[in-house]
Amino acid sequence: MTALKYSRQREAIKDYLMSTTTHPTADSVYAHIRKDFPRISMGTVYRNLSLLAEQGELQQLPCADGGDRFDANITAHAHFFCSKCQCVLDLDIPEVQGLTQIATTTFNGRIDSQQVVFHGLCPDCLRA
Amino acid sequence: MTALKYSRQREAIKDYLMSTTTHPTADSVYAHIRKDFPRISMGTVYRNLSLLAEQGELQQLPCADGGDRFDANITAHAHFFCSKCQCVLDLDIPEVQGLTQIATTTFNGRIDSQQVVFHGLCPDCLRA
DNA sequence: TTCCCTGCAAACTGTTTGCATCGCT
DNA sequence: AGCGATGCAAACAGTTTGCAGGGAA
């Protein structure tokens, strides 16, 4: 992990992710950043998202639809993925922590409490 | 959902999935089925896996690495995905059902208890 | 005979990489 | 000046699709 050199593009990407509670895909990040950096490329977006995730400055959530989601909220919280509209929501359920404990002891592996993912229909899709 | 016509390829795919507790990717299925059907194509494998999943004869688990896994065990059970070796394990933790309940009430959406996915390091990778 | 299913190849999507150039430090 | 970061385009991997021919009903 060598020192990163400052870049306006990377800062813009991080700022954007810190300003939203949605969980953008690389593509959404690209679409948004393009407003300020019309010539930015997908390569740069992907490279910077990976770099920031490596540095622990954001969480990279691999999702059920294949596309990763990015989250600047790095506190321990579970996620929900809607199998219909593919949105990703935070799921702040304290019980998850306890469950992670239980699972870990019977399981003998290490369970990462930040990466518990529930699937189903989000409130909006359920209502519709 | 129209009636399916019998095909030896599809039966072989289902038989294979019922005979294993690993959670093969489409590619693993292809590799295995090829022993009996050397000319089978990936298109056929993907088509049949989707058909079987549609019929509810197997579970299609979208995974963190992008590749889906397939599971002929359609009883309610959570899964674990190893972020190092990418293996998928069954996680039979009764508490997950309770958690799904809790989550559902505070959440107002529908949580699918068969699709709760934990992430972390599997026992083998943890030991290594 | 009908029409679903197959094998094949081409198309697609999301992501990564090689390279010349740019711009922090 | 040195070297990491950028934009661009080509390469990639996993999956889907169109089509002509084959096989179950």
Side-chain angles (χ1 to χ4, degrees):
Chain A
M1 200 199 275
T2 63
L4 296 187
K5 187 177 288 187
Y6 171 84
S7 98
R8 275 173 297 160
Q9 289 89 333
R10 186 182 312 121
E11 188 179 51
I13 290 172
K14 197 185 170 190
D15 285 350
Y16 170 50
L17 286 169
M18 291 203 302
S19 76
T20 180
T21 60
T22 66
H23 299 73
T25 58
D27 215 70
S28 313
V29 171
Y30 175 65
H32 187 273
I33 297 300
R34 233 148 118 68
K35 293 174 194 160
D36 290 311
F37 296 85
R39 310 190 63 80
I40 200 173
S41 71
M42 279 305 271
T44 299
V45 170
Y46 275 106
R47 267 183 295 235
N48 280 313
L49 288 171
S50 301
L51 282 170
L52 289 166
E54 250 171 55
Q55 307 279 319
E57 302 197 38
L58 52 85
Q59 221 184 110
Q60 180 163 9
L61 276 210
C63 279
D65 59 353
D68 290 4
R69 300 298 196 286
F70 298 88
D71 191 351
N73 172 5
I74 52 175
T75 63
H77 61 289
H79 287 100
F80 172 86
F81 180 84
C82 178
S83 32
K84 191 175 178 202
C85 74
Q86 338 244 259
C87 70
V88 174
L89 301 172
D90 287 326
L91 213 57
D92 268 307
I93 301 169
E95 285 85 352
V96 171
Q97 304 302 329
L99 184 62
T100 310
Q101 285 300 61
I102 295 171
T104 305
T105 51
T106 60
F107 171 63
N108 286 323
R110 182 169 65 71
I111 291 184
D112 186 343
S113 58
Q114 310 202 16
Q115 299 251 24
V116 180
V117 185
F118 293 81
H119 296 253
L121 287 181
C122 70
D124 285 356
C125 286
L126 184 62
R127 206 172 303 125
Chain B
M1 199 200 276
T2 61
L4 294 188
K5 187 175 289 186
Y6 171 84
S7 99
R8 274 173 297 160
Q9 290 88 333
R10 178 155 60 240
E11 189 179 50
I13 290 171
K14 197 184 170 191
D15 284 350
Y16 170 50
L17 286 169
M18 292 203 303
S19 76
T20 180
T21 60
T22 67
H23 299 73
T25 58
D27 215 70
S28 312
V29 172
Y30 175 65
H32 188 271
I33 297 300
R34 231 148 119 69
K35 293 173 192 160
D36 291 311
F37 296 85
R39 311 190 63 80
I40 199 173
S41 70
M42 279 304 272
T44 299
V45 171
Y46 275 106
R47 267 182 297 234
N48 281 313
L49 288 170
S50 301
L51 283 171
L52 289 167
E54 251 171 54
Q55 307 279 322
E57 302 196 38
L58 53 84
Q59 221 184 109
Q60 180 163 10
L61 277 208
C63 279
D65 59 353
D68 289 3
R69 300 298 196 286
F70 298 88
D71 190 351
N73 172 5
I74 52 176
T75 63
H77 62 288
H79 287 99
F80 172 86
F81 179 85
C82 178
S83 32
K84 192 176 175 199
C85 72
Q86 337 245 262
C87 71
V88 174
L89 302 172
D90 288 327
L91 213 55
D92 267 307
I93 302 169
E95 286 84 352
V96 171
Q97 304 301 329
L99 183 63
T100 310
Q101 286 300 60
I102 295 171
T104 306
T105 49
T106 59
F107 172 62
N108 286 322
R110 182 168 65 72
I111 291 185
D112 187 342
S113 58
Q114 310 202 16
Q115 299 251 24
V116 179
V117 185
F118 293 81
H119 297 253
L121 286 181
C122 71
D124 285 356
C125 286
L126 184 62
R127 205 172 304 124

